[in-house]
Amino acid sequence: MMPTVRAIGWCLFLLALWEALARISPDTVLVSSPSAIAAYVAENMGLLARATAETSVNAMWGFVWGNLGAVLLGVTMILVPRSQRTLSALALLVFCVPLIASGPILRVLFGTGTGPQVMLGALAVYYTTLLTFLIGLRSVSQNWTDLMRIYGRGALSTLIRVRARASLPYLFVGLQISAPAAFLGAMIGEFTGAERGLGVLTLRAMRGLDTDATWTLAVVAACVAMAAYSVIGWVGERAVGYKPVILLSAPASSVPTASWMRLAELGFIAVLVLALWQSSMDAFDLNRFFAKRPGDVWAFLMEPQNRDTLFSALAETLSFAAPGYIAGLAVGAGLAALLVLSPSLSGAAMPVAVALRAVPIITTAPLLVLAFGRGLVGTMVVVAVMIFFPTFVACQQGLRQTPGQIVDVFKSYGAGRWHLLRAAQVPAMLPAFFASARMAVPAALLAVTTVEWLATGKGIGLLMAMTASTSDYNMLWSCVAVLALVATAAYGMVAMMERAVLRIYASEQVV
Amino acid sequence: MPSVDIHCVDVSKRFGATEVVAPLSITLEAGQTTALVGPSGCGKSTLLRMIAGLEDPDTGEIRLGDEAPQAVARRGGLAMAFQDPSLLPWRSVRANIALGAELARKPGGDVDALIDLVGLGGFADHRPAELSGGMRQRAAIARSLISAPDVLLLDEPFGAVDAMTRRRLNAELPPLWRSRGATVVLITHSVEEAVLLSDRVLVLSSRPARVVADIPVDLSGTRDARLLETPDAMAVSRQVFAALEAA
C-alpha cells in the first residue's frame, strides 16, 4: 500500500511543479500546463477518443502481424539453421529502412486506408521481437538437446517440447518492448498521409502552431503506449513469473572466416534483395509509374543532377544525426555509470527510465522542436533523446552484471568506488553499451528523418516529403534505397567495433 | 525384452589437436552392467556419448546389437542420466519423469510406483526448483528408467546424491534394470560403487583413453553395502585400485 501512496504523491508533486513552471514561463507558445491540457481534453473529448481508437486499432494489428512474422522467422531460423545468415541479413536490412521512408512507399502501393499504418506498426516491432525470441529459443542447456537426441527426436520435437517453453519469458520481454513501438509505427504511418488518427491530429496541431493540442496529443500517445507496455508486462509476469535481462545481441551464427567467403555471401544477399524487389513488384503487376524497380533507381541515380540533390540532402541529414547519436549514447552511458556510484539514486531512477523508455519519443519530437528550434540543436536533441533512454536502461542493466565476487575482491583491497567503476564495472557494461549503440543506428536515422519530415524541413526527410507530394517517385525510391544502404553500413560498422571490443572484454558474448 | 550388446570396433575420437579416445575395441555383453572408471578427463564421457550416438567416432564403428546408436534412439531403446539432472523447470516431477516414456513413444507404466521407488513420494507435483539437488538427481534417474530402455547410459548419476540416499539407490535401482534385461554402462568415480553395481569393471587410462584393465566382478549374494565387506569384493576393489594407480 505504502509504495502506491508514495507514487501517487510523487505524481501529484510533479504535476504541480509542471503547472507552476508553465504559469511562470514567459513563452506560452512553448509549454502547456496540465490544466490547459485537461481543458483541451475536455473540449475535444469525442475527437481525441475517435483518433486514439483509430491509432490503437491500427497499432494492435501491426503488433499482431509484426510479432507473428518475428515468431515465424525465428522458428524457421531454428528449424533450418542454413537459412539463418541470409534471413537475419534480410531482416536487418528491412529493419534499417527508416519507417518514415517506407511510409510514403507503402502509401503509394496501398493507396488510401489503414494498410500503411498497420504495416509500419508491424515493421516497427518485428526486429526486436525476433532478436529477443531467438535469444530465448537458444537459452536451452546442451543436456536438454542431448536428451531429445537420446530418444531419437529431431529439431521439431526439441522446438515444441523444450525451446518453445524456454523462450516464453524472452518472448514476453520482446512483446512488451514492441507495444509502444507498434504505436509509434502506426503514428508514423499516419504522418505520411492518412485521414484519421492521432498522427493526423499531431500534424494539424503543429502546422497550426497549436501548443495545447500538440502537448495533449503527445501526452495521450505516451499514456496509451505506456498502458499497453504495462499490461503486457503484467500478463508476462503472471504467465511466466520472471523477466530475464536481455542484451540485444546480434543473432548468433558462425561467420565464415575467409574474406572471399564473406564477400561472396554479401554479393549473394545483395542479388537476393534486388531479385526480391524486382519480382515482388512484377508479381503484383504494380504500375511502373509509382512502383519503381531496381533498374529505374539505378538509371535515376546515374544522372549527376539527381545524384547531387540526393547526396547533398543526405549529407545534411547525417551531419545532424551524427552529433545527436553520439550525444545520446554518451549521456546515456555516462549517467548510468555515474548513478552506479550512488545505489539509492540509481534504484530510484531505474523505474522512471524504464517507464520513459516506453514513451514513443517521436511523438514528442514536435515539442522538442518547439523548444529547441528548427536548426542543429533541435534535431540533435530529438535524436539524442530517442537514443538516451534505451542506452541508459541497457547500461544500468549491464553495470549490474558485474560479478559480485569481483566487486568483493576490489572491496577486500579497500579499492575506491572510482577504481571499481573504471576497472570492473565499466568493462562489465560494455556488451550492453555496444548492443544499444548498434540498435541505436536505425533509431537515430528514424528520429532525424521523421523530425525533418514533420518539423524542420531539412535534409533527406524534407526531400522525401516533397517527392511524395510532387509524385517524383524515382527520387522517393532512390532516397529509400540509399537510406537503407547507409543505415545497414553504419550498423555493420558499429557491429564490427562491437566484436573487436567484446573479444577482449566479454569473449563469451562473441559467438 | 530384447537384449542388446554393445560393440565398439577401433573407435577413436579427437577434438582439434587433442586425441581423446585412442583406437579402442570392446564388446559389452547384453544384459550386463559395465562400469567405466578412470582418471578425471580421461575420455570416459566421450566414449559414453559416442555409444549414445551424440558424437560420431572419427574412426571405427559402434553397433548396439546390429543397429547404429541413432536407430536404437529412434525406436526409444536408449536412455541416459547425466551428471547434471537437466530436468525441465516448467514441468512437475511427475511430468518430468513421464517425459522419458513420452519421448521414447512408450506407455509410461506406473510413474507413481517409480516415484516411490526413488524416494520422491509426496513430491510428484513439485517443480524441480522446489527440490534439493539429490532429489532432482533421483527424478532424472527415474526419467531414464521409465521407458525401460534396452541400453541405459549413466554418466556419474549419483555424484550429487547424499551418502545415505546413494547407498539406498545403489541397492534398489540395479535389480530394477537387471530385471528388465537392460545393458547398462555406468561411469563412476567411486571404486566401491563400480564393484557393487557392475558385472565388469573397465579401467581406462588417462587421455587418450585406452583400456588398461578388464576386471570381471563375479560376486554371489545380495548386492548391498554388506557385500563390499566380503573378502571376494575387497579383492576385486584392490585389483581396480591397483589398475587405476598404474593408469
Side-chain angles (χ1 to χ4, degrees), chain A residues 140-153 157 161-163 165-166, chain B residues 49 52-54 73 78 80 82 84 86-90 100 102-105 143:
Chain A
V140 298
S141 82
Q142 203 204 331
N143 278 352
W144 292 351
T145 51
D146 280 353
L147 186 71
M148 296 293 142
R149 291 172 60 200
I150 288 283
Y151 293 101
R153 297 306 189 106
S157 192
R161 281 163 213 272
V162 179
R163 292 191 197 274
R165 182 57 182 77
Chain B
R49 289 175 63 80
L54 293 173
L78 264 177
M80 185 163 175
F82 305 90
D84 173 273
S86 309
L87 302 173
L88 299 179
W90 52 85
E102 195 182 314
L103 288 175
R105 301 183 181 88
R143 178 180 63 196

Side-chain angles (χ1 to χ4, degrees), chain A residues 26 35 46 120 130 161 171 189 204 267 291 357 362 376 402 432 459 464 496 499 510:
Chain A
S35 58
L120 285 186
L130 175 64
R161 281 163 213 272
L171 183 61
R204 207 182 296 159
R357 183 178 64 164
I362 285 293
L376 174 65
T402 315
M464 289 189 301
M496 263 167 62
R499 292 184 77 85
V510 184

